[in-house]
Amino acid sequence: MRLRVEFTTEPFDLEEAPDHAVAAREVIQKAQLEAVDVGPFGNTAEGEADRVLSAVTALLRDSLEAGATRVTLQVNVIGQEAS
């Protein structure tokens, strides 16, 4: 199964990426996921379920430890026909 994760971390800082945003992005970049898109207001990545779920766990842990007060995420199954 393939999954797509979309996430943001808060609080926002438009001047400079906060430590929690950097931590979350580093997790995603190290996770060897595909279609990684990093932006100021949202980030996405895709991959096999095990890799995405492991990355989500690390993303939550690392970004909260780095000062995030909120992490918003959505995980979708992709590439499968609806039954």
Side-chain angles (χ1 to χ4, degrees):
M1 173 185 337
R2 290 186 55 79
L3 301 175
R4 176 183 296 124
V5 61
E6 301 176 43
F7 66 93
T8 58
T9 61
E10 296 179 40
F12 294 115
D13 182 344
L14 297 178
E15 301 288 324
E16 182 178 335
D19 291 343
H20 57 81
V22 172
R25 291 173 186 166
E26 286 177 353
V27 166
I28 293 300
Q29 290 168 339
K30 290 177 184 175
Q32 298 179 349
L33 298 177
E34 303 158 23
V36 175
D37 184 20
V38 174
F41 299 108
N43 309 280
T44 60
E46 299 176 5
E48 293 302 317
D50 289 343
R51 285 186 187 224
V52 171
L53 296 174
S54 292
V56 166
T57 299
L59 181 154
L60 290 170
R61 181 187 59 246
D62 291 3
S63 61
L64 292 169
E65 287 177 357
T69 57
R70 178 185 298 201
V71 178
T72 305
L73 66 88
Q74 179 174 318
V75 178
N76 294 310
V77 175
I78 58 174
Q80 293 184 345
E81 296 294 321
S83 301

